Amino acid sequence: MTSLIDNNIDELIKRVRQRTAVSDMVFMTAYPPRDVPNPIDKYTVAVDQTSVKRSQVFIGDTVGTGLKGALYEIDLTLRVYAPRNTSASALLRMSAQLFDAVGVCDVDREIAEMSLGGVAYDNTARTIYRDLRVTMRRILTGEAVR
C-alpha cells in the first residue's frame, strides 16, 4: 500500500507542476540526498509525507456483505521557500497559488483538508517559508469477514 500512496502523491505533484501559475517553482523531496541550493534563487517547494494512518472501516451491504476496507489518511507538508530578498507578501501570493493548484489537481478527490500556515524564517536556508498542509484520505476494500 505504501507504494500506492507514494505513487498517488507523485502523480498529484506532477499535475501541480504542470499548472502555469506554479510552473516556475522548483519541487523537491524534503531532506534531499543532495545539497539544497543556497541562496535559494527560485520559489522552492519541499514535499514531505509527514504521516500515514490506517484504520479499518465497515463498507456495508452496498459493496458486499461483511466487507471491510482500510481507510488511509496521509498528511503532506509542502514547504514553500521564497527566494532570498523576497517580500513576505510575494511569498503569500505564491503559496496561495500553490494552494489553488493543489486543489484543482485533486482529480481523485482524495484531499480532505488543506491549510496554509504563517510565514516563518528558516535559519539554515536563510529565507522565509510558508507551509501548505494537506490531508488526503483513501479507502481500499479488503477481504470479506467471515
Side-chain angles (χ1 to χ4, degrees):
M1 180 56 212
T2 302
S3 62
L4 181 58
I5 291 170
D6 290 341
N7 290 343
N8 286 357
I9 293 168
D10 291 345
E11 288 299 316
L12 174 65
I13 298 302
K14 184 178 179 181
R15 289 189 301 271
V16 168
R17 290 176 64 185
Q18 294 172 351
R19 303 293 298 179
T20 304
V22 297
S23 61
D24 289 340
M25 291 181 161
V26 175
F27 288 81
M28 61 185 221
T29 60
Y31 316 107
R34 61 190 182 288
D35 291 334
V36 176
N38 197 341
I40 292 176
D41 58 356
K42 291 184 176 185
Y43 285 95
T44 303
V45 181
V47 181
D48 186 14
Q49 179 182 322
T50 53
S51 70
V52 176
K53 297 175 214 164
R54 180 180 185 264
S55 59
Q56 293 293 112
V57 293
F58 179 69
I59 303 295
D61 291 332
T62 55
V63 174
T65 305
L67 197 60
K68 288 200 174 191
L71 172 65
Y72 287 85
E73 188 170 294
I74 304 104
D75 292 320
L76 297 177
T77 299
L78 284 71
R79 179 162 287 180
V80 183
Y81 291 98
R84 194 179 298 181
N85 301 323
T86 301
S87 69
S89 62
L91 173 61
L92 294 173
R93 180 169 173 74
M94 288 303 292
S95 56
Q97 289 181 343
L98 179 62
F99 183 98
D100 292 343
V102 170
V104 167
C105 292
D106 180 26
V107 295
D108 296 325
R109 303 183 75 168
E110 293 180 337
I111 295 178
E113 297 175 23
M114 292 194 316
S115 65
L116 279 169
V119 174
Y121 186 79
D122 185 315
N123 288 324
T124 305
R126 290 183 261 163
T127 191
I128 55 177
Y129 69 88
R130 191 173 189 202
D131 287 341
L132 168 57
R133 291 178 195 87
V134 179
T135 300
M136 301 169 69
R137 292 192 181 111
R138 179 177 193 85
I139 293 180
L140 295 178
T141 55
E143 302 173 5
V145 177
R146 300 183 202 282

